[in-house]
Amino acid sequence: MMQKKHMRLVRAGKFLKLFKKDTQYATPIFRIDQKRKNLQFIIAFKLEDDDFYVLNRSEKGYSKELKRIKVFTKSQLYNAMAKVPIKARETIQILQVPSDKKLLKDYVTYYDKASIDWLTFGKKANLDDVYDPFRDAHSALFHSDDSDNAISYDDYQGIQDFHPFSVLDNHAQALPCRYQDPIRQKIVSLQLMGWYFLGQQLKISWKPDNQLNARWRSSVVAIDRKTRRYFFQGNIYQEKGTDPVFLENLSFDCDLKNSRAAKAEFDRFIQEIKEQERVALLKLR
């Protein structure tokens, strides 16, 4: 049965301030609260059999039996991990336990993959290594410097799994569109080339159609925190700074020979954003 006593999962590297090359950097630490002082932990691990072991005061220093379990403070954890047999150190799980010894055994377990998935996706998690489409997203004007990462389309040819919106005779072509800016109450001509993932970030390649010799930009797709509208940001006017481009306010010219296919690809792009939103909301729960 899934153990739900622990509600948060962090990594030993960050929690104990280890060097990134440390062999125990990725060791999971299962937390029961967000306290910083007077924390207590036990160490569990696996050997060849299916049972798990804990460090205790037995003759070997560890046992399957949950007796005389050793409890460690945060400062003792790193040295304590060295007491685990070398061949089992990759299986170490550190479990926070309450100060009440009578409750200790209720918090001793070994998490399987399903339980770890529950902890990862069913909590407000540490999102340092996860793309959060809600990060730094808002509807106000973006008065930052133009940092669209202007890139020529040739650079996109080497991107694995690049999805052009419009393809004609096996060649990607720009998809012209109009943007009805709800903030400035203006209509702007843009061109979209396609979408792709860069690491865990969903990005769109585009360029303004109102600027002479404009270059292709690459922008991260985000989600507005208040309205949940999808957008990217960029310099769509010949002015300093960037503005949000809400995808729902884009309309496409219908004279393309493959307009139906282009709209279908854009719909797939929207579905990818919705999947990013679904995963992010699970992690932010």
Side-chain angles (χ1 to χ4, degrees):
M1 185 175 179
M2 187 181 298
Q3 165 67 272
K4 295 186 179 181
K5 294 287 187 181
H6 297 91
M7 302 303 295
R8 299 175 59 234
L9 173 62
V10 297
R11 297 295 177 183
K14 185 174 183 179
F15 188 70
L16 301 178
K17 298 182 180 179
L18 306 179
F19 291 111
K20 287 190 175 182
K21 292 185 179 180
D22 195 292
T23 56
Q24 300 303 143
Y25 190 90
T27 298
I29 299 178
F30 298 84
R31 297 290 309 277
I32 59 177
D33 52 42
Q34 297 189 34
K35 294 179 180 178
R36 297 184 180 183
K37 296 182 178 180
N38 303 319
L39 304 179
Q40 297 188 116
F41 305 87
I42 64 101
I43 294 179
F45 58 93
K46 284 204 168 187
L47 289 173
E48 291 84 355
D49 51 30
D50 291 332
D51 294 326
F52 72 88
Y53 295 73
V54 294
L55 292 182
N56 62 6
R57 294 183 177 82
S58 64
E59 185 177 349
K60 283 187 175 181
Y62 58 88
S63 172
K64 298 179 184 180
E65 297 183 3
L66 303 183
K67 295 180 179 180
R68 305 177 67 193
I69 300 172
K70 279 192 174 182
V71 177
F72 304 96
T73 64
K74 180 179 178 179
S75 62
Q76 294 172 330
L77 279 177
Y78 190 75
N79 289 333
M81 285 189 281
K83 300 182 184 299
V84 174
I86 294 177
K87 61 183 177 180
R89 288 181 189 172
E90 290 185 357
T91 71
I92 290 175
Q93 293 185 0
I94 299 174
L95 309 172
Q96 184 184 351
V97 293
S99 56
D100 188 343
K101 293 183 179 180
K102 294 180 180 179
L103 301 175
L104 177 62
K105 291 183 180 179
D106 292 337
Y107 288 80
V108 179
T109 187
Y110 193 89
Y111 285 93
D112 57 18
K113 185 179 183 302
S115 299
I116 292 175
D117 287 344
W118 178 84
L119 282 169
T120 303
F121 292 103
K123 62 175 180 57
K124 186 173 181 179
N126 177 3
L127 298 177
D128 288 349
D129 299 322
V130 179
Y131 169 51
D132 176 9
F134 295 98
R135 183 178 297 154
D136 300 328
H138 52 81
S139 299
L141 292 180
F142 293 85
H143 293 294
S144 59
D145 292 333
D146 184 5
S147 56
D148 291 328
N149 299 322
I151 305 173
S152 69
Y153 176 65
D154 290 340
D155 292 327
Y156 288 110
Q157 301 299 319
I159 296 177
Q160 187 175 9
D161 203 25
F162 179 73
H163 301 268
F165 291 119
S166 179
V167 179
L168 190 61
D169 298 328
N170 292 323
H171 289 88
Q173 64 174 5
L175 177 63
C177 63
R178 288 170 296 170
Y179 177 58
Q180 180 75 49
D181 190 338
I183 298 175
R184 299 204 189 195
Q185 299 297 313
K186 294 181 180 180
I187 296 178
V188 184
S189 295
L190 303 175
Q191 293 187 37
L192 307 181
M193 184 59 76
W195 62 275
Y196 64 98
F197 280 97
L198 182 63
Q200 292 181 317
Q201 291 183 327
L202 181 61
K203 307 194 79 172
I204 185 171
S205 60
W206 66 283
K207 73 175 181 178
D209 207 15
N210 58 353
Q211 299 176 22
L212 185 63
N213 298 322
R215 295 180 294 172
W216 290 100
R217 274 84 163 162
S218 176
S219 297
V220 175
V221 178
I223 302 173
D224 183 89
R225 291 183 184 275
K226 293 182 179 179
T227 66
R228 296 282 177 83
R229 290 189 294 173
Y230 307 147
F231 72 95
F232 63 90
Q233 67 186 70
N235 186 345
I236 59 176
Y237 300 102
Q238 291 178 302
E239 302 174 4
K240 184 178 180 180
T242 58
D243 292 87
V245 177
F246 295 100
L247 301 186
E248 64 186 43
N249 293 91
L250 290 172
S251 59
F252 305 100
D253 293 339
C254 299
D255 57 351
L256 289 174
K257 291 183 180 180
N258 64 336
S259 60
R260 183 174 298 178
K263 290 179 180 178
E265 186 58 48
F266 189 81
D267 287 341
R268 282 191 285 271
F269 170 57
I270 297 298
Q271 290 304 313
E272 286 293 335
I273 304 173
K274 289 182 178 179
E275 177 61 17
Q276 293 281 324
E277 181 179 26
R278 184 188 70 82
V279 172
L281 288 174
L282 283 172
K283 292 178 178 296
L284 291 168
R285 240 176 17 191

